[in-house]
Amino acid sequence: MGFTAYPYQIMAGNDELLHFAPSLDEVRTAAVEQRSELHASGDFTREELGSMVIYECDMQDLDLRAMMSSLNNRDDPTVLLNSCLVSKRIIEILKG
């Protein structure tokens, strides 16, 4: 069956740090809020943050083996993503 998810990169160029939402509007709102919080904190300059990329990901439902592998590798969040990711495309870039 499968589903579509919308993640954004929390830090530019780092696909290990993704935040997911079920709709483009929700992920855009979350990305803008997080970017504002990071700027307000003073911990990062706009250059350090870079651009935030928003993706559209087609995901497949996990079979039992993939689910067990993901559950047993909870220290590596990419295992779950790689187990169910079918395709990923950039749909928006939020400038720093």
Side-chain angles (χ1 to χ4, degrees):
M1 194 167 160
F3 59 95
T4 300
Y6 297 88
Y8 70 87
Q9 289 177 333
I10 294 171
M11 296 297 290
N14 186 341
D15 278 352
E16 290 184 19
L17 295 174
L18 296 173
H19 174 83
F20 288 82
S23 73
L24 179 56
D25 287 339
E26 288 180 63
V27 82
R28 187 182 293 122
T29 298
V32 169
E33 286 176 5
Q34 184 165 33
R35 179 166 289 285
S36 294
E37 290 171 7
L38 290 171
H39 285 169
S41 74
D43 293 337
F44 300 95
T45 66
R46 291 188 186 279
E47 293 77 27
E48 288 172 324
L49 284 176
S51 299
M52 281 183 151
V53 177
I54 296 176
Y55 298 101
E56 180 179 79
C57 294
D58 292 322
M59 313 292 271
Q60 65 183 350
D61 293 331
L62 295 180
D63 61 19
L64 182 59
R65 285 193 185 278
M67 179 61 78
M68 294 302 113
S69 176
S70 297
L71 291 170
N72 289 326
N73 286 293
R74 55 188 166 267
D75 292 336
D76 183 358
T78 62
V79 172
L80 177 58
L81 178 61
N82 293 334
S83 295
C84 59
L85 182 66
V86 174
S87 66
K88 178 173 81 171
R89 68 182 181 95
I90 295 172
I91 56 171
E92 191 170 330
I93 299 174
L94 301 175
K95 300 294 181 187

